[in-house]
Amino acid sequence: MEADATFDRVSAKYILAKRHEVLSQGIHDQQQSNGECHEDLLTSHMKLDTTKYELLNPSGDKFLRDTILAFNLAGRDTTASALSWFFWLLSENPRVVTKIRQEIITNISLHGQDNLDKLVYLQAALYESMRLYPPVPFQRKSPIKPDLLPSGHKVEANSTIMIFLYALGRMRAVWGEDAMEFKPERWVS
Ligand code: HEM
């Protein structure tokens, strides 16, 4: 398939570039020997000792190519959906925009060091947005052996359990009478 070939080509380019980067960084790390390490996803998979995992059988760069594809599929539409609903909710709730803006002005300086940990209200607004509009609205899990759920329900091996995150996020019994309202404050203790 044409798309498949394109993806192979683009992935191979990234893998090669990253291999060079990791190689030169390795030398750099030895020289610096500082404890701090911020690895990106591709680097951490490159350094993975895949012999330790019996289900992984990497041949050439296929494992890395498949990993890049998985991250693209897992991370692209989820992030797009989360941000689309977030900005739509902001457009409907100018009060929240004012509070986020205020928090940013107070905590982030243009030339100083960013302190993203201080943006508590912004984080709460993102949580609240994903509570009402979860990018993954339901999930499916299967136990490999019979088990007992915290609720007391018995589940058989290989049975399918559906978890409706969309409904869970809107349950009055969990969130209160204002469950349908967009209120980031509910996340700030
Ligand atoms: C707002 C953004 C995102 C949402 C809402 C989201 C949601 C989820 C959910 C619900 C799961 C399943 C968790 C489970 O079964 O317990 C999951 C798994 C996963 N996500 Fe995301 N995700 C997001 C962003 C990303 C990004 C940016 C990446 C990678 C670049 C990513 C990579 C993965 C991977 C690899 C898994 C499988 C983890 C595992 O079971 O080993 N996700 N994500």
Short mmCIF file of all heavy atoms in Angstrom, two decimals, residues 131 168-181 183 186:
data_model
loop_
_atom_site.label_atom_id
_atom_site.label_comp_id
_atom_site.label_asym_id
_atom_site.label_seq_id
_atom_site.Cartn_x
_atom_site.Cartn_y
_atom_site.Cartn_z
N ARG A 131 -13.43 14.87 31.45
CA ARG A 131 -14.50 14.19 32.18
C ARG A 131 -15.78 14.22 31.36
O ARG A 131 -16.44 13.19 31.16
CB ARG A 131 -14.76 14.87 33.55
CG ARG A 131 -15.94 14.29 34.32
CD ARG A 131 -16.17 15.04 35.62
NE ARG A 131 -16.74 16.37 35.43
CZ ARG A 131 -18.03 16.63 35.26
NH1 ARG A 131 -18.91 15.64 35.25
NH2 ARG A 131 -18.46 17.87 35.10
N LEU A 168 -19.58 7.29 32.94
CA LEU A 168 -19.00 7.44 34.28
C LEU A 168 -18.73 8.90 34.63
O LEU A 168 -18.97 9.34 35.75
CB LEU A 168 -17.66 6.68 34.36
CG LEU A 168 -17.71 5.18 34.65
CD1 LEU A 168 -16.32 4.57 34.44
CD2 LEU A 168 -18.19 4.93 36.07
N GLY A 169 -18.27 9.64 33.64
CA GLY A 169 -17.94 11.04 33.85
C GLY A 169 -19.15 11.93 34.08
O GLY A 169 -19.02 13.09 34.47
N ARG A 170 -20.35 11.39 33.83
CA ARG A 170 -21.57 12.19 33.96
C ARG A 170 -22.51 11.68 35.04
O ARG A 170 -23.65 12.14 35.15
CB ARG A 170 -22.29 12.23 32.60
CG ARG A 170 -21.53 13.09 31.61
CD ARG A 170 -21.92 12.84 30.18
NE ARG A 170 -21.10 13.68 29.30
CZ ARG A 170 -21.55 14.76 28.68
NH1 ARG A 170 -22.79 15.12 28.80
NH2 ARG A 170 -20.73 15.47 27.94
N MET A 171 -22.05 10.71 35.85
CA MET A 171 -22.94 10.13 36.88
C MET A 171 -23.12 11.09 38.06
O MET A 171 -22.13 11.49 38.69
CB MET A 171 -22.36 8.80 37.37
CG MET A 171 -22.63 7.64 36.42
SD MET A 171 -21.71 6.17 36.89
CE MET A 171 -22.53 5.75 38.42
N ARG A 172 -24.39 11.45 38.34
CA ARG A 172 -24.67 12.35 39.46
C ARG A 172 -24.22 11.72 40.77
O ARG A 172 -23.78 12.41 41.69
CB ARG A 172 -26.15 12.69 39.50
CG ARG A 172 -26.57 13.58 38.35
CD ARG A 172 -27.86 14.34 38.66
NE ARG A 172 -28.05 15.38 37.67
CZ ARG A 172 -28.51 15.17 36.43
NH1 ARG A 172 -28.85 13.95 36.04
NH2 ARG A 172 -28.65 16.17 35.58
N ALA A 173 -24.35 10.37 40.87
CA ALA A 173 -23.98 9.68 42.10
C ALA A 173 -22.48 9.86 42.41
O ALA A 173 -22.07 9.81 43.56
CB ALA A 173 -24.30 8.19 41.98
N VAL A 174 -21.70 10.08 41.36
CA VAL A 174 -20.26 10.24 41.55
C VAL A 174 -19.88 11.71 41.68
O VAL A 174 -19.14 12.11 42.57
CB VAL A 174 -19.49 9.61 40.37
CG1 VAL A 174 -17.98 9.85 40.49
CG2 VAL A 174 -19.78 8.11 40.26
N TRP A 175 -20.42 12.56 40.79
CA TRP A 175 -19.96 13.94 40.66
C TRP A 175 -20.88 14.96 41.33
O TRP A 175 -20.52 16.13 41.46
CB TRP A 175 -19.79 14.29 39.18
CG TRP A 175 -18.83 13.36 38.50
CD1 TRP A 175 -19.15 12.27 37.74
CD2 TRP A 175 -17.41 13.40 38.55
NE1 TRP A 175 -18.02 11.64 37.32
CE2 TRP A 175 -16.93 12.31 37.80
CE3 TRP A 175 -16.48 14.26 39.16
CZ2 TRP A 175 -15.56 12.05 37.65
CZ3 TRP A 175 -15.13 14.00 39.00
CH2 TRP A 175 -14.69 12.91 38.26
N GLY A 176 -22.07 14.54 41.71
CA GLY A 176 -23.01 15.48 42.34
C GLY A 176 -24.06 15.98 41.36
O GLY A 176 -24.01 15.66 40.17
N GLU A 177 -24.98 16.79 41.87
CA GLU A 177 -26.10 17.28 41.06
C GLU A 177 -25.64 18.14 39.88
O GLU A 177 -26.32 18.24 38.86
CB GLU A 177 -27.08 18.08 41.93
CG GLU A 177 -28.01 17.21 42.78
CD GLU A 177 -28.71 16.11 41.95
OE1 GLU A 177 -29.35 16.44 40.95
OE2 GLU A 177 -28.57 14.92 42.30
N ASP A 178 -24.45 18.76 40.02
CA ASP A 178 -23.95 19.63 38.94
C ASP A 178 -23.06 18.86 37.96
O ASP A 178 -22.24 19.45 37.25
CB ASP A 178 -23.20 20.83 39.52
CG ASP A 178 -21.99 20.41 40.36
OD1 ASP A 178 -21.76 19.19 40.52
OD2 ASP A 178 -21.28 21.31 40.85
N ALA A 179 -23.27 17.53 37.91
CA ALA A 179 -22.40 16.68 37.07
C ALA A 179 -22.31 17.13 35.62
O ALA A 179 -21.28 16.97 34.97
CB ALA A 179 -22.89 15.23 37.12
N MET A 180 -23.40 17.72 35.09
CA MET A 180 -23.39 18.09 33.66
C MET A 180 -22.74 19.46 33.41
O MET A 180 -22.57 19.86 32.26
CB MET A 180 -24.82 18.11 33.11
CG MET A 180 -25.57 16.81 33.30
SD MET A 180 -24.70 15.43 32.61
CE MET A 180 -25.38 15.48 30.96
N GLU A 181 -22.37 20.16 34.48
CA GLU A 181 -21.80 21.49 34.30
C GLU A 181 -20.28 21.46 34.23
O GLU A 181 -19.64 20.61 34.86
CB GLU A 181 -22.24 22.40 35.47
CG GLU A 181 -23.70 22.77 35.41
CD GLU A 181 -24.16 23.40 36.70
OE1 GLU A 181 -23.45 24.30 37.20
OE2 GLU A 181 -25.21 22.98 37.22
N LYS A 183 -17.18 22.72 35.45
CA LYS A 183 -16.68 23.44 36.63
C LYS A 183 -15.30 22.93 37.02
O LYS A 183 -15.18 22.01 37.82
CB LYS A 183 -17.63 23.21 37.82
CG LYS A 183 -18.91 23.99 37.79
CD LYS A 183 -19.63 23.75 39.11
CE LYS A 183 -20.93 24.54 39.18
NZ LYS A 183 -21.72 24.13 40.37
N ARG A 186 -14.06 21.85 40.68
CA ARG A 186 -14.33 20.61 41.40
C ARG A 186 -13.07 19.75 41.55
O ARG A 186 -13.02 18.85 42.36
CB ARG A 186 -15.46 19.81 40.73
CG ARG A 186 -15.10 19.13 39.46
CD ARG A 186 -16.22 18.22 38.96
NE ARG A 186 -17.21 18.92 38.16
CZ ARG A 186 -18.50 18.98 38.47
NH1 ARG A 186 -18.96 18.36 39.54
NH2 ARG A 186 -19.34 19.64 37.70
#
